Amino acid sequence: MSRGWEEIERKILRLLHGGKTRTQLTEIHAHFLRHGLQQSNQILAHFVSVCASLQRMPYATRIFTHSTHNPNILLFNAMIKGYSLCPPFHHSFQLFSFMKTRAISPDDYTLAPLLKSASNLRHHNLGRYVHAHVIRLGFARHASVRVGIIELYTNCERMDDASKVFDAMRDRDVIAWNLMIRGFCKVGDLDTGVKLFRQMKERSVVSWNLMMSSLAQSKKEEKALELFREMLEQGFEPDGASLVTVLPLCARLGAMDVGEWIHSYANAKGFLVDAINVGNSLVDFYCKCGNLQAAWSVFNDMPRKNVVSWNAMISGLAYNGKGELGVDLFEKMVPEGVVPNDSTFVGVLACCAHAGLVDRGRELFASMSVKYQVSPKLEHYGCVVDLLGRCGLVREARDLIRSMPMKPTAGLWGALLSACHTYGDTQTAEIAAKELVRIEPWNSGNYVLLSNIYADEGRWDEAEKVRELMRGGGVKKVPGQSATG
């Protein structure tokens, strides 16, 4: 009889860890209910693990609540780990409290996920609570627990606490080193991050990616690119994350040779088939370097595209002054089943501005919320103001700015003022300049612009009042700026 049940358990476990889908999950659940295995902690623990991998922890919780009356540590650990991977993360601690009421002592498989949950929550106090349990129960030497403690403190930006744990470790693995480097770079201490990176005896590709990304984010693009070259020289093979990190640097620094090498490498390694983000980055790289032919080639050859792919190409066409082509591409996007997002409309409205397509721009802007349920943001208004201003429709641009549901920025009024100068609309220019003075009272250039507008019209008294306002406010004129009058 026992052999029969063991065979059924093995069958269910094979089903659980084979190709599983959400539908199959309910079928497997029905299967073990039919055989009366809802009291098997082993089956339930495996079931919970599969639920976590499919982001179905609420389903796992229902099973946990209703299926067994005597959950053991194996099942509790599976539930706690599940909620350390899927929000709401604080449920891990509720389960831990329940576990303690059942007088079940935690082990390292309990504490490591609790640390992960506290880390995901960025909850320093909860993390210290778990850390205290780790020390009291003697699990501080367990590798997964130590790494969990370091991850917690680095995520909470408590680098002093993280350093104490790290310094006490005798055998530091590459994961611990990477966490410390990431933590110091995250709090802005790039020098310590670089120092730790140089002290590493063994590195992984993740170590290189982390350091290159941190340098790039700190505007040290050249150093990041040098590090990429060093990585290649030391025999490390870049992964998709490496390429996506480095390609924007190549575009900003004009490193065409490196970007083209990456293209060749990505082709050879199959990244352009398996990794959409690499193809997207290549499209963006070629567009920003002005090589539209290469960008089109990558875009058209991509076996799969997502909305980012289309956005990169549309924005790239706008960037290169090919607005009509960008609008044409947008027209093909929706029939392909790709739903436009915020960034899509920034790109296509910029295309309209570059091509002077006023009517089309108006239509697209109006369709955002009505047809595509995308609420216009400041960037979208900015694109339309730019479009109207370029085409001399400064009054319409002014009215659009005034109708915005959010507060206009100095950049918007500045763009309108520039259009007013181009088309000689001094009345609207005065409105824009006054708004600039109101938004940026510390900026002497705004006072100079307003004073010059009055002076150009012979309104000397008002020009003098602006200069008095500037002096009264303690605003100093930047050398090189002139105020006629």
Side-chain angles (χ1 to χ4, degrees), residues 55-113:
Q55 302 284 306
R56 296 203 65 184
M57 283 308 295
Y59 185 27
T61 301
R62 289 198 299 273
I63 304 296
F64 175 79
T65 304
H66 297 114
S67 292
T68 181
H69 303 297
N70 295 296
N72 62 6
I73 190 168
L74 179 70
L75 183 52
F76 270 112
N77 285 351
M79 287 294 297
I80 290 170
K81 182 178 180 181
Y83 273 119
S84 76
L85 303 173
C86 307
F89 302 115
H90 65 272
H91 280 196
S92 291
F93 290 93
Q94 293 174 357
L95 286 158
F96 182 53
S97 296
F98 181 36
M99 178 178 163
K100 289 195 294 183
T101 65
R102 304 295 293 256
I104 299 174
S105 297
D107 60 15
D108 56 317
Y109 293 104
T110 316
L111 298 173

Side-chain angles (χ1 to χ4, degrees), residues 260-441:
E260 288 170 350
W261 180 89
I262 287 174
H263 187 180
S264 175
Y265 175 84
N267 256 329
K269 297 293 181 180
F271 285 119
L272 296 182
V273 174
D274 300 328
I276 293 179
N277 59 346
V278 174
N280 294 343
S281 296
L282 274 169
V283 170
D284 183 67
F285 161 72
Y286 280 123
C287 284
K288 286 178 178 170
C289 291
N291 190 344
L292 283 179
Q293 185 177 353
W296 274 118
S297 177
V298 174
F299 180 78
N300 289 328
D301 289 345
M302 289 175 69
R304 292 179 296 123
K305 301 181 183 75
N306 58 15
V307 67
V308 178
S309 318
W310 292 84
N311 291 352
M313 198 67 231
I314 291 169
S315 297
L317 290 164
Y319 183 83
N320 285 277
K322 304 291 183 182
E324 291 189 6
L325 287 175
V327 174
D328 290 343
L329 188 60
F330 173 81
E331 304 292 356
K332 295 173 183 175
M333 176 181 178
V334 177
E336 289 282 338
V338 183
V339 180
N341 62 14
D342 285 3
S343 298
T344 313
F345 283 102
V346 171
V348 74
L349 289 170
C351 285
C352 292
H354 284 289
L357 302 174
V358 177
D359 290 339
R360 190 71 186 103
R362 289 190 188 113
E363 289 170 10
L364 286 166
F365 185 67
S367 73
M368 285 179 61
S369 54
V370 176
K371 188 175 179 181
Y372 299 103
Q373 287 75 54
V374 176
S375 299
K377 294 183 178 174
L378 196 61
E379 298 92 332
H380 304 111
Y381 281 98
C383 289
V384 181
V385 167
D386 183 35
L387 166 62
L388 296 171
R390 284 172 183 248
C391 296
L393 301 168
V394 291
R395 301 289 173 94
E396 185 179 343
R398 176 203 63 196
D399 293 342
L400 180 65
I401 292 174
R402 284 174 166 173
S403 73
M404 287 168 50
M406 68 285 291
K407 288 184 178 180
T409 61
L412 274 178
W413 288 113
L416 180 63
L417 183 59
S418 176
C420 291
H421 281 313
T422 302
Y423 290 97
D425 189 332
T426 54
Q427 186 180 351
T428 307
E430 179 185 353
I431 293 168
K434 281 182 176 179
E435 289 293 337
L436 283 169
V437 168
R438 185 183 62 80
I439 294 171
E440 297 180 339

